[in-house]
Amino acid sequence: MKKSASRVQAAKQANHQQFRAWIILVLTVGSVVLVYLAMSLSASDDPLLMPLDDTYIHFQYARQFAQGEPMVYNSGDPVTSGGTSLLYPPLLAVGYWVGFTNWSLAYWALAIGVTCFFASTWLVYLIAQNSPLDDEPKPRHGYALVLALAFALSGPFIWASLSGMETALFVLSVLLTLHAYQRNQFRTIIAASVLMTLIRPEGNLLAGLVILLLIMRRAVPADWPQGLQRVGWYLLPFFAALIQPIINLATTGSTTSSGMQAKSHLYNTGAPVFERIQDVFEFWGRMWREFLVGGSPDFGVYTSSLLSEVALAGLLIGTWWAWRKRRLNPAVLILAWIIVLSAAVATLDTAFWQFKRYQLPIMALFFPAAAWTSAALGDLIEQRMKLRWPRWIVPTLILLPSFFTTITFARNYLENVTVVRDQQVPMARWVRDNLPENVRIGVHDVGLVRYFGNRALYDVVGLTTPGPSVAWRQGPGAIYETMAHSEYRPAYFAIYPDVQGLGYLLNAGVFGEVLAEFPVGLPPHNVASATPYQAVYRADWSTTHAEEQIAQQTTLDDVNGLELVDAIDVAHLESEAQHDYKWWFGDATPGFVTEVYNHLTLGCGLEGEACRATDGGRILTGGEEFTLHTISGEDLLLVTRVHGRTSVPLKIYVNDRLVAQRVQPAVPGFWTEVVSFIPADQVGPTTRVRIEPDIVDPGTDAYIPYYHWAYQGQFEPVLSSETPLATFDSSVQLLDHDVTLADHQLRVDLTWQGAAPETGDGIVFIHLYNDIHVKPIAQLDQRPMGGVLPPGNWLPGILHDSYTLDLSNVPPGTYTVAIGLYDARSKTRYTVSGSPFDLEAGVGADQDRLFIGKITIEE
């Protein structure tokens, strides 16, 4: 009877302590929420604003869901998988149905966040009470309350709960699963695990781990009906985890969400695999360094520096005890979760964005574990020192920094709401009030402009528009090409002009005319705006051609009489896929792997604006390979548009056989075209081409193709059998030359015979001497054919070339004219062989110069 009365009394005391803790935590959470809400309303000036754009992505998906278009971002568009959380938009849609529409949906989102925040705080308290480090179960109300208060006062958790995002809901599902596991509540574990999988993709990993530990802890009954029933329960979270991939596959054709494609290091196809893995490890290491110090360079102090150390110490001890006693306990689950979840978060580009919201589920697990460690350490201190007060040192040192973060993150919250108010809301309203209703607008941050601007969007990141997410990872060239060929191509932009290479599109003129500007001052800890400047532009697609065409006069002459049979738009992923296009790294070049420019074609043979094109291309240090759809048994001329920032030799392979060597000439700021001859016996119904550049310095050198055209027919070059006047570098033959002088303009006409591949990027020089032993008094350096056709790119046949040297500043007199070639890369002159030099006549070969006569300039 006495024991029974004692247990009743202990139960009453425990209930009283829990009720007291509940009151304290309600008042604490209520107080901080009211403070943050008051600050937000003071900045918002009504309506209530959320502190970041991503919230309004959920709001837009929720509105569409409520209006009968689930997973559709723009009315009438296809389904998209930009809503990473499967459950959260429908939950928001419930609020929309009951009357929280348009601006007021923020209040419904806050209600969800605050409810989840308090429930999570209470779960931290409940989990922290019962420590797996105790030999005998005993409630730890004091430690549980202190660490629950530390959680409730932690700025990052308050911020996330009031941000309108799904973070607080996910944290709640994680803690609920842990609490059910601690209490051995089987069906609640299953239900909470299902909830985790539906809220965030990371929940799949956590659910899998808890089910694995359940199977290890609870053997499947031998009785087959009961065993089958148990297996069915175990499989529920796995079936739940399949729901979102199956929906994605059925509606978008891919199990992977667009968010994962746009945000994961592992999907960053613009970087080599080893770099992606390196990035993941770098992020994982950085994450743990910041956990251990309780702060980060980006956001300052966000928790106590003791929190993670104390928690991890307890988890390691608890795991050791579990191994020793051969009995799984919650410490094992938490430690496994933390390791796996931190590794999963480290795969995301966004791992450190938005005040570490992706890391908050990990941090939430530290609080109950720190309470367990604090209690065990307190018992040890009390036993050794015979004093009670020192046992509270550690939990107090964890609690006190939380007060500090409450204040600092309140300021962060206020400042970011202010940024939204001053930049993104005015831009959304301007779009709504000034742009036609039926236009589509290109954006980077897609939430506010869509939700309040009420215009259909083209999302360059690809979260909410079908297609662009893969291109986003490959840089501005792929971004441009995907957008230019999209059925959703925007007529306007409301965008940051300098994020993720978007400055390339700005410089190429794609953004066009500025219609309105929205600058804003950014706070020190900004998450609301990518940059301090956004603007609305009228898109300019005037130099974007549905199908690009060759334009260089020499190329037009070469393909005259031939038929265009195929073309590849490099950096346009759809065109590349149609040709089984592959590209690879040598040594990775710094910067993006694709670029976009608006250039004139040098030596253009077309008229007017046809000579100018905006095009996207690749920056290659390894090479490219593709399949052309060709006609068997016909000669093939492969024309490649390049932007030669530097001179790069190229090897052209057809069906793994070297058939040509070309050179990308260094002509920055212009398009040039490289033509390669592939003989008919190498051409089949499909022809596999591989182009490999010779890269000396990947920091500066790259092969940069933008377009390939395949022309076929019978290629019949005109060849000369006459003896050349001179030969340069043993392969470039000069058949004839002519020098004329008129109006102080020296014209030099040269007739060449097609060169051998090793001649490379040769530049012709024209020198004028009054003394051949000193520097020339006038000179011209230019690639043949108006600067576009170095000898390494000549096709077989005769080439008529012309140069004009201005002599208006040369004094009267008699001068000797010399020509020659030198390599653009090495600056080494080509050697010359021909008739010996005759000084009196001023003609003949002299090592690396060919003298072609004298001229007289009159007064």
Side-chain angles (χ1 to χ4, degrees), residues 9 52 190 208 313 368 382 389 419 485 591-592 629 631 689 695 718 754 824:
Q9 181 62 30
L52 71 163
I190 301 299
E382 186 172 347
W389 67 265
V419 170
H485 291 86
F592 299 105
H629 306 287
I631 301 171
V689 178
I695 302 298
V718 177

Side-chain angles (χ1 to χ4, degrees), residues 529-706:
S529 183
T531 71
Y533 177 84
Q534 289 198 81
V536 178
Y537 303 85
R538 188 192 313 276
D540 184 355
W541 301 102
S542 60
T543 56
T544 300
H545 309 304
E547 292 184 4
E548 295 290 343
Q549 58 181 326
I550 60 172
Q552 198 168 288
Q553 183 60 60
T554 57
T555 309
L556 293 168
D557 293 339
D558 290 335
V559 303
N560 184 32
L562 302 183
E563 177 187 359
L564 177 66
V565 297
D566 202 1
I568 303 173
D569 189 356
V570 180
H572 179 211
L573 304 186
E574 183 178 338
S575 178
E576 290 182 347
Q578 291 169 354
H579 295 86
D580 192 22
Y581 183 94
K582 301 184 187 308
W583 61 277
W584 58 93
F585 295 97
D587 293 323
T589 184
F592 299 105
V593 296
T594 68
E595 294 178 340
V596 57
Y597 286 101
N598 179 312
H599 289 323
L600 287 168
T601 299
L602 191 63
C604 183
L606 304 178
E607 295 184 0
E609 283 302 304
C611 291
R612 179 174 292 279
T614 301
D615 199 5
R618 291 200 172 275
I619 318 299
L620 300 178
T621 58
E624 62 175 348
E625 189 173 26
F626 48 87
T627 297
L628 294 171
H629 306 287
T630 50
I631 301 171
S632 298
E634 288 191 1
D635 293 331
L636 170 64
L637 290 186
L638 175 66
V639 182
T640 301
R641 173 188 285 169
V642 296
H643 177 216
R645 294 199 300 245
T646 59
S647 179
V648 177
L650 307 171
K651 291 183 177 180
I652 316 297
Y653 295 85
V654 173
N655 302 322
D656 293 325
R657 178 180 175 181
L658 180 64
V659 299
Q661 295 187 55
R662 305 277 95 181
V663 64
Q664 171 187 275
V667 190
F670 291 92
W671 303 130
T672 55
E673 294 164 5
V674 178
V675 184
S676 304
F677 171 63
I678 301 172
D681 61 359
Q682 299 296 316
V683 180
T686 60
T687 303
R688 190 69 177 168
V689 178
R690 185 172 80 251
I691 302 178
E692 295 182 353
D694 179 13
I695 302 298
V696 176
D697 181 2
T700 57
D701 293 344
Y703 162 51
I704 314 179
Y706 280 73

Side-chain angles (χ1 to χ4, degrees), residues 16 19 121 150 169 243 266 281 313 366 416 424 435 463 481 519 549 553 594 597 669 692 712 718-719 763-764 805 807:
H16 175 72
F19 180 72
T121 302
L169 184 61
I243 292 175
L266 303 179
F281 278 104
F366 288 149
N416 282 278
Q424 295 167 338
L435 297 185
L463 295 177
E481 290 288 352
Q549 58 181 326
Q553 183 60 60
T594 68
Y597 286 101
E692 295 182 353
Q712 286 195 263
V718 177
L719 299 175
I763 296 177
V764 173
L805 180 61
L807 302 183

Side-chain angles (χ1 to χ4, degrees), residues 476-488:
I479 292 170
Y480 163 78
E481 290 288 352
T482 300
M483 180 164 48
H485 291 86
S486 173
E487 63 180 300
Y488 311 110

Side-chain angles (χ1 to χ4, degrees), residues 116-397:
C116 293
F117 181 40
F118 175 74
S120 297
T121 302
W122 184 242
L123 284 171
V124 168
Y125 171 78
L126 295 178
I127 296 166
Q129 281 188 87
N130 301 297
S131 172
L133 307 184
D134 292 331
D135 290 324
E136 296 293 333
K138 51 184 175 180
R140 300 288 195 165
H141 296 287
Y143 291 101
L145 178 58
V146 173
L147 268 298
L149 282 170
F151 177 86
L153 293 169
S154 290
F157 289 98
I158 306 169
W159 192 96
S161 300
L162 300 179
S163 68
M165 297 294 285
E166 81 280 11
T167 309
L169 184 61
F170 186 54
V171 169
L172 173 61
S173 69
V174 171
L175 292 172
L176 182 61
T177 307
L178 175 60
H179 179 253
Y181 181 85
Q182 183 186 50
R183 300 296 178 89
N184 202 26
Q185 298 168 339
F186 179 71
R187 294 190 179 184
T188 306
I189 295 172
I190 301 299
S193 297
V194 168
L195 187 64
M196 284 195 299
T197 66
L198 298 178
I199 297 172
R200 290 285 310 170
E202 303 95 297
N204 299 338
L205 299 173
L206 304 187
L209 283 172
V210 74
I211 295 301
L212 178 63
L213 293 186
L214 271 182
I215 293 172
M216 295 171 65
R217 193 166 77 175
R218 297 165 62 104
V220 176
D223 181 34
W224 75 265
Q226 292 185 3
L228 186 62
Q229 184 183 42
R230 179 69 57 79
V231 170
W233 282 102
Y234 286 150
L235 290 177
L236 277 178
F238 293 100
F239 288 140
L242 292 174
I243 292 175
Q244 190 164 13
I246 289 174
I247 291 175
N248 289 344
L249 180 63
T251 56
T252 69
S254 172
T255 58
T256 305
S257 70
S258 57
M260 186 65 69
Q261 292 171 346
K263 296 177 181 178
S264 172
H265 290 303
L266 303 179
Y267 284 87
N268 183 13
T269 53
V273 173
F274 75 89
E275 279 191 14
R276 302 181 220 173
I277 296 173
Q278 184 179 11
D279 287 340
V280 172
F281 278 104
E282 181 182 333
F283 270 40
W284 190 82
R286 175 186 166 187
M287 191 186 310
W288 277 100
R289 287 193 301 271
E290 293 183 2
F291 282 155
L292 294 175
V293 300
S296 73
D298 295 332
F299 307 130
V301 175
Y302 60 84
T303 191
S304 168
S305 59
L306 289 177
L307 177 65
S308 61
E309 288 94 333
V310 172
L312 291 171
L315 294 175
L316 291 172
I317 294 171
T319 301
W320 177 70
W321 280 17
W323 175 82
R324 184 179 176 187
K325 296 178 180 181
R326 301 297 188 270
R327 187 176 67 220
L328 295 172
N329 61 39
V332 177
L333 178 62
I334 293 179
L335 187 59
W337 270 0
I338 287 174
I339 293 171
V340 169
L341 191 54
S342 63
V345 172
T347 66
L348 300 176
D349 282 342
T350 55
F352 297 92
W353 289 14
Q354 299 170 2
F355 299 119
K356 302 169 78 72
R357 76 176 179 93
Y358 295 95
Q359 300 177 35
L360 293 186
I362 303 170
M363 292 170 56
L365 296 170
F366 288 149
F367 287 89
W372 299 340
T373 312
S374 298
L377 186 61
D379 291 346
L380 182 62
I381 291 173
E382 186 172 347
Q383 289 173 8
R384 297 291 179 86
M385 300 180 65
K386 307 302 181 184
L387 295 172
R388 290 188 58 83
W389 67 265
R391 68 186 298 143
W392 296 101
I393 293 176
V394 171
T396 301
L397 290 176

